[in-house]
Amino acid sequence: MIKLFLLFIFIFVISCGYPDIDSVPNFNEIKLSPDELIDYCNSNYSDKKNIDECIKDYDINN
């Protein structure tokens, strides 16, 4: 029982060293290459019209 408790305390102390989710950078201003942009739009949309709109919207915002 004591070994289990010590293991729990050890894991708890070790886990406190990991960064919080709040420290993840903001990816809103990322620049995509043309190939990455096509892959991104293809993965989110299946219709050709929506893919073209996705690419156009990205070009307007950047």
Side-chain angles (χ1 to χ4, degrees), residues 41 45-57:
C41 290
Y45 302 103
S46 60
D47 187 27
K48 174 73 171 145
K49 179 180 176 186
N50 290 338
I51 294 171
D52 291 339
E53 288 180 19
C54 173
I55 293 171
K56 185 178 87 175
D57 289 342

Side-chain angles (χ1 to χ4, degrees), residues 4-19:
L4 182 62
F5 179 72
L6 289 176
L7 179 64
F8 175 74
I9 294 296
F10 178 73
I11 291 173
F12 180 75
V13 169
I14 296 292
S15 68
C16 291
Y18 290 102

Side-chain angles (χ1 to χ4, degrees), residues 18-61:
Y18 290 102
D20 292 335
I21 191 74
D22 296 334
S23 63
V24 175
N26 188 356
F27 293 105
N28 288 340
E29 297 179 13
I30 192 166
K31 301 291 182 191
L32 297 176
S33 71
D35 291 335
E36 292 172 332
L37 180 59
I38 290 170
D39 288 341
Y40 169 74
C41 290
N42 280 331
S43 66
N44 288 335
Y45 302 103
S46 60
D47 187 27
K48 174 73 171 145
K49 179 180 176 186
N50 290 338
I51 294 171
D52 291 339
E53 288 180 19
C54 173
I55 293 171
K56 185 178 87 175
D57 289 342
Y58 181 80
D59 289 337
I60 290 172
N61 293 330

